[in-house]
Amino acid sequence: AAFQFFGGGGAGSPEEVLTTMADAVNAQDPVLAATVVDPDELPMLVELMTEFEGARERSGLGGSGPVKGTELEVTDLDLDVDELAPNVARVTLTDGELSASYDLKEAPAPVQAFVDNDDRDKRESGSVSVDDYEDEVGAELSAIVVKKGRGWYVSPSLTTADLNQSNRSRNTAACSA
């Protein structure tokens, strides 16, 4: 809640924004993640997360924090920075691994029911390389970061707009082919 009012100090470089986000995912630490979210967008994100936590609570997944019995991990990231404008850059993941695991015995009842009823996914863990993800989805994993004051921050709204534009460009190219 303090970050809603004070924000974080940002990162020292565009790359550090994404490495901090990876550290936050690995530590399951939303406060660490908040330190590198654009302070102008943080109140909107806090509101969205509050609504999401309410939905999680109503569905039986628990109100806040990681879903019990789950773990996410980001490792071995390689990043490429493309300056788009002064104080604005696209940081693209060029290599790395995204992993997820869960302990079904520890998971909330709705997760247990879903996995028990879903024959496709009886695994307790899985991972995907950045390259394999990009091949599957047909898009690069990237984020738009902005410099404000002395710190760099991820901009969720600019990242979403960039992804939407990339999708439109791919769809237009596919229709032309």
Side-chain angles (χ1 to χ4, degrees), residues 115-128:
V115 174
D116 283 345
N117 294 326
D118 187 352
D119 290 336
R120 303 180 279 127
D121 197 1
K122 294 293 184 187
R123 298 174 297 187
E124 291 185 359
S125 65
S127 63
V128 63

Side-chain angles (χ1 to χ4, degrees), residues 21-121:
M21 280 293 191
D23 291 345
V25 167
N26 293 341
Q28 299 183 358
D29 185 349
V31 174
L32 179 58
T35 64
V36 292
V37 172
D38 183 339
D40 294 332
E41 297 183 53
L42 193 56
M44 172 189 64
L45 232 52
V46 168
E47 183 178 327
L48 180 64
M49 291 307 297
T50 301
E51 289 179 28
F52 179 68
E53 286 176 355
R56 280 181 50 179
E57 186 67 43
R58 290 187 298 278
S59 69
L61 294 176
S64 64
V67 174
K68 201 171 169 193
T70 62
E71 187 174 316
L72 302 174
E73 185 175 25
V74 180
T75 56
D76 301 324
L77 288 184
D78 284 334
L79 306 168
D80 184 49
V81 177
D82 182 23
E83 185 177 333
L84 303 175
N87 300 321
V88 180
R90 179 184 295 112
V91 182
T92 302
L93 283 70
T94 58
D95 198 11
E97 190 86 11
L98 313 171
S99 305
S101 63
Y102 58 90
D103 180 349
L104 194 54
K105 294 176 200 114
E106 295 291 320
V111 173
Q112 290 179 7
F114 174 76
V115 174
D116 283 345
N117 294 326
D118 187 352
D119 290 336
R120 303 180 279 127
D121 197 1

Side-chain angles (χ1 to χ4, degrees), residues 9 16 19 24 31 106 115 134 136 142 150 154 168 171 175-176:
E16 190 181 320
T19 59
V31 174
E106 295 291 320
V115 174
E134 290 173 352
E136 180 73 25
S142 63
R150 288 186 243 146
V154 66
R168 271 190 243 120
N171 290 339
C175 290
S176 300

